[in-house]
């Protein structure tokens, strides 16, 4: 095959197919951006679930070991009303000092035991991180295929 035939064939390909390549490139970029942003959305929700789950586990653990402040206050008031407290009867007044001393207690420090889990030990949180990384990688690739003026507005898909 003569070199002139290859050069003329390339000229014809460049003229007709360059527009088709640009169209497909934009379509690939748009689809990649949408898929990436959907993955980011799932990742954020999975991480949120992991934090909520760990928070619930912590609340259940605290409640089992310490009880709540309201339960402690209610128990003290019940004892006071039934006259089961030791010592002379207390004189009740409307001053804020005496009422706050009898009802408000400083929160006890919670011992962090070895049973306490952090979000770093949650497989759900790590699954969210992996999905987030894949989604952000998709966004990065999308900028290579389509113009930023098209890819950037597609980021709103992650908020849905």
């Amino acid at each position: 095959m003569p070199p002139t035939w290859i050069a003329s064939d390339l000229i014809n390909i460049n003229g007709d197919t360059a527009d088709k390549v640009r169209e497909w490139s934009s379509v690939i970029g748009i689809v990649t951006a949408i898929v990436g942003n959907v993955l980011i959305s799932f990742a954020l929700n999975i991480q949120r679930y992991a934090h909520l789950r760990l928070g619930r586990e912590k609340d259940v653990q605290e409640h089992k070991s310490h009880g709540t402040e309201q339960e402690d206050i209610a128990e003290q008031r019940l004892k006071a009303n039934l006259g089961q407290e030791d010592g002379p009867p207390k004189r009740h007044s409307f001053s804020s000092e005496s009422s706050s001393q009898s009802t408000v207690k400083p929160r006890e420090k919670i011992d962090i035991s070895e049973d306490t889990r952090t979000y770093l030990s949650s497989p759900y949180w790590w699954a969210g991180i992996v999905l987030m990384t894949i989604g952000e990688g998709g966004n990065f690739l999308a900028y290579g295929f389509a113009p930023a003026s098209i890819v950037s507005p597609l980021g709103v898909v992650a908020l849905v």
Side-chain angles (χ1 to χ4, degrees):
M1 291 184 196
T4 56
W5 182 78
I6 295 173
S8 65
D9 194 27
L10 288 176
I11 291 171
N12 289 337
I13 290 174
N14 284 339
D16 294 336
T17 58
D19 293 333
K20 291 180 183 178
V21 169
R22 276 191 217 109
E23 288 174 19
W24 278 107
S25 178
S26 292
V27 169
I28 291 170
I30 290 168
V31 170
T32 306
I34 290 172
V35 169
N37 285 314
V38 167
L39 286 176
I40 291 169
S41 179
F42 280 129
L44 292 173
N45 284 309
I46 289 171
Q47 284 184 322
R48 181 176 179 265
Y49 173 73
H51 284 291
L52 290 174
R53 184 175 172 179
L54 289 172
R56 275 190 242 126
E57 288 176 4
K58 182 179 174 187
D59 289 344
V60 167
Q61 190 178 32
E62 282 180 18
H63 185 68
K64 284 182 180 177
S65 63
H66 298 291
T68 62
E69 272 189 65
Q70 286 182 334
E71 289 172 348
D72 295 341
I73 292 170
E75 190 175 316
Q76 285 178 354
R77 286 186 178 178
L78 179 65
K79 285 180 182 178
N81 288 338
L82 295 176
Q84 293 179 355
E85 282 190 328
D86 296 334
K90 292 186 176 178
R91 193 177 138 200
H92 297 288
S93 69
F94 291 107
S95 71
S96 63
E97 184 178 309
S98 64
S99 64
S100 67
Q101 287 176 352
S102 65
T103 59
V104 178
K105 294 171 150 182
R107 287 193 58 87
E108 298 175 9
K109 289 188 176 181
I110 300 170
D111 295 333
I112 299 177
S113 64
E114 293 180 15
D115 297 336
T116 304
R117 291 179 49 194
T118 64
Y119 63 92
L120 292 174
S121 64
S122 171
Y124 290 108
W125 189 84
W126 283 106
I129 282 291
V130 168
L131 284 177
M132 178 92 61
T133 304
I134 293 169
E136 290 294 348
N139 274 342
F140 183 75
L141 288 175
Y143 281 108
F145 284 105
S149 59
I150 294 174
V151 175
S152 293
L154 293 174
V156 229
V157 175
L159 301 177
V160 175

